[in-house]
């Protein structure tokens, strides 16, 4: 790494609507120095996730630049004295943490435990689409639902995925199919081909009555339900179609209380999945690096594929971050929205 001490970053001081000029701004800030188990990554590509939007929108006015970004891929350019996993020059990918400045900056400090070598057969944009969604999907399927993380090890089991064409859905359905489950998933009919490419055996039109759609396939109940959307409007139906002793999981917070007693007489487990819980509470953070290493192996073996929906490749800057965020805020993107290239914004 050369001797430059300043880097470019994209952030904000207050959670303005994305149409506001100050919703994202380009700034210069000092390059951090890694210590302990931190690696310093020269960021090459990032992606935008719904959590970025939620955290931006709820940020009160502050005096320090808030730099988000929860997917990153880049080159290790410096390491702390206790780093053992990585060396300078390694290409890594990771999902970061809500407790530190994120990947929307030229150089980022990342704890080595939560990173892994990026899949060797993917470009930076493809690799940047994977960490957050892969970790979310894997943790829900394996750590919450209790599936065996081996190829075809869960045959005979069925899963219903609500919102199967979104960022998490696109990778979760692939992992479920790889693990041997029969996958049912909802989406708009225009996305049915995409669902099938991502491991879904039975695409379901989300406009139609869900219980009836399953009944037409001679399915009354399923072993697992993953709701990758606000579960409130689906909960009563999900309580009907889940098998006794099954698992219902979701990744989206709710505005109103759920009547969880609907699951009681079937002894059904209800599972929350929040990928940042581990790093928020420093609980088994090393498992996230291990999961990403497995995802890289599956990608390299052709078992699953990246889930890029749209790419802005002409630079990581405030203008492109506003565009990409606006795309995600529509709620209708298939796959991930990625930004790549040099950090080329003009500092204010």
């Amino acid at each position: 790494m050369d001797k430059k001490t300043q880097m470019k970053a994209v952030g904000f001081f207050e959670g303005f609507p994305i149409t506001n000029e100050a919703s994202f701004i380009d700034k210069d800030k000092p390059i951090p120095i890694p210590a302990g188990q931190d690696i310093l990554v020269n960021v090459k590509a990032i992606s935008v996730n719904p959590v970025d939007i939620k955290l931006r929108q709820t940020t009160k006015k502050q005096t320090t630049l808030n730099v988000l970004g929860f997917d990153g891929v880049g080159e290790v350019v410096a390491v702390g004295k206790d780093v053992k996993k990585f060396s300078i020059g390694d290409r890594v990918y990771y999902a970061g943490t809500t407790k530190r400045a994120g990947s929307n900056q030229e150089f980022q400090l990342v704890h080595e435990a939560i990173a892994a070598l990026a899949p060797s057969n993917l470009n930076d944009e493809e690799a940047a689409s994977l960490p957050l969604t892969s970790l979310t999907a894997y943790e829900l399927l394996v750590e919450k639902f209790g599936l065996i993380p081996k190829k075809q090890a869960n045959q005979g089991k069925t899963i219903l995925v609500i919102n199967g064409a979104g960022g998490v859905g696109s990778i979760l359905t692939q992992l479920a199919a790889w693990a041997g489950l029969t996958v049912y998933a909802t989406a708009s009919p225009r996305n049915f081909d995409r669902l099938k490419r991502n491991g879904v055996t039975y695409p379901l039109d989300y406009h139609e009555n869900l219980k009836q759609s399953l009944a037409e396939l001679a399915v009354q109940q399923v072993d697992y339900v993953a709701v990758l959307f606000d579960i409130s409007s689906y909960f009563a139906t999900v309580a009907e179609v889940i098998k006794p002793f099954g698992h219902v999981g979701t990744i989206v917070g709710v505005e109103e209380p759920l009547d969880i007693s609907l699951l009681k007489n079937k002894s059904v487990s209800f599972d929350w999945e929040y990928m940042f819980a581990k790093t928020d509470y420093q609980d088994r953070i090393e498992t996230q690096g291990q999961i990403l290493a497995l995802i890289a192996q599956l990608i390299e073996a052709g078992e699953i594929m990246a889930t890029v929906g749209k790419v802005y490749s002409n630079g990581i800057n405030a203008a492109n971050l506003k565009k990409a965020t606006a795309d995600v805020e529509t709620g209708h993107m298939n796959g991930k929205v990625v930004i790549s290239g040099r950090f080329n914004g003009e500092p204010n």
Side-chain angles (χ1 to χ4, degrees), residues 15-340:
F16 292 113
I18 198 61
T19 52
N20 189 297
E21 184 178 353
S23 59
F24 284 107
I25 58 176
D26 297 301
K27 279 283 188 182
D28 283 353
K29 60 181 289 193
I31 297 174
I33 298 172
Q37 289 184 267
D38 282 343
I39 56 177
L40 183 65
V41 180
N42 182 192
V43 177
K44 304 293 188 182
I46 62 175
S47 74
V48 177
N49 294 282
V51 67
D52 296 78
I53 294 166
K54 181 178 179 181
L55 292 177
R56 189 195 85 251
Q57 291 175 339
T58 56
T59 298
K60 305 297 183 184
K61 188 173 182 178
Q62 57 188 48
T63 56
T64 56
L65 188 71
N66 192 328
V67 177
L68 298 178
F70 301 108
D71 276 316
V73 60
E75 180 184 351
V76 177
V77 293
V79 298
K81 65 181 180 64
D82 298 323
V83 169
K84 294 180 173 60
K85 281 179 63 176
F86 302 109
S87 302
I88 292 173
D90 284 344
R91 190 174 75 123
V92 296
Y93 74 146
Y94 48 88
T97 166
T98 64
K99 301 301 184 183
R100 310 178 78 172
S103 55
N104 299 345
Q105 57 185 342
E106 195 174 357
F107 296 95
Q108 180 186 5
L109 288 179
V110 180
H111 194 291
E112 66 170 345
I114 64 172
L117 293 174
S120 59
N121 58 335
L122 297 187
N123 60 31
D124 290 339
E125 291 87 355
E126 292 166 330
S129 74
L130 286 166
L132 187 147
T133 53
S134 297
L135 288 168
T136 299
Y138 184 97
E139 288 179 0
L140 183 57
L141 291 174
V142 176
E143 297 179 357
K144 303 300 175 62
F145 288 178
L147 297 178
I148 301 168
K150 293 182 180 179
K151 185 174 182 178
Q152 300 302 308
N154 305 271
Q155 292 189 40
K157 299 292 187 179
T158 54
I159 186 170
L160 169 64
V161 182
I162 294 174
N163 191 19
V168 175
S170 296
I171 193 74
L172 188 145
T173 56
Q174 293 186 70
L175 285 172
W178 166 78
L181 282 81
T182 299
V183 183
Y184 302 80
T186 69
S188 170
R190 69 176 182 274
N191 294 319
F192 279 6
D193 286 345
R194 178 184 180 85
L195 290 185
K196 290 177 180 178
R197 289 196 301 272
N198 289 335
V200 176
T201 307
Y202 299 103
L204 305 172
D205 186 347
Y206 82 93
H207 301 95
E208 303 295 332
N209 180 284
L210 185 56
K211 187 177 179 182
Q212 182 177 330
S213 295
L214 289 170
E216 290 171 358
L217 296 170
V219 175
Q220 303 302 321
Q221 295 181 327
V222 294
D223 296 288
Y224 309 96
V225 181
V227 185
L228 313 177
F229 192 78
D230 185 342
I231 196 173
S232 301
S233 61
Y234 291 96
F235 192 65
T237 300
V238 166
E240 290 187 69
V241 302
I242 188 68
K243 285 184 179 180
F245 307 101
H247 283 257
V248 174
T250 190
I251 64 173
V252 179
V254 296
E255 299 296 327
E256 300 293 335
L258 296 174
D259 183 6
I260 204 77
S261 67
L262 293 176
L263 304 178
K264 173 186 175 295
N265 287 351
K266 289 184 180 178
S267 289
V268 168
S269 297
F270 185 84
D271 299 299
W272 286 109
E273 163 55 24
Y274 182 56
M275 192 221 76
F276 296 112
K278 289 177 180 175
T279 49
D280 280 357
Y281 295 97
Q282 291 299 298
D283 189 324
R284 296 169 293 141
I285 66 170
E286 73 284 349
T287 63
Q288 296 203 323
Q290 294 163 2
I291 293 167
L292 290 176
L294 173 60
I295 295 297
Q297 292 175 16
L298 295 178
I299 290 281
E300 290 167 353
E303 297 287 356
I304 60 176
M305 59 185 178
T307 56
V308 178
K310 187 174 185 179
V311 176
Y312 294 91
S313 60
N314 61 334
I316 305 173
N317 52 48
N320 279 340
L321 202 48
K322 289 174 185 176
K323 294 175 185 176
T325 300
D327 290 336
V328 177
E329 285 187 356
T330 67
H332 297 294
M333 288 303 302
N334 297 322
K336 297 292 290 292
V337 183
V338 177
I339 312 171
S340 64

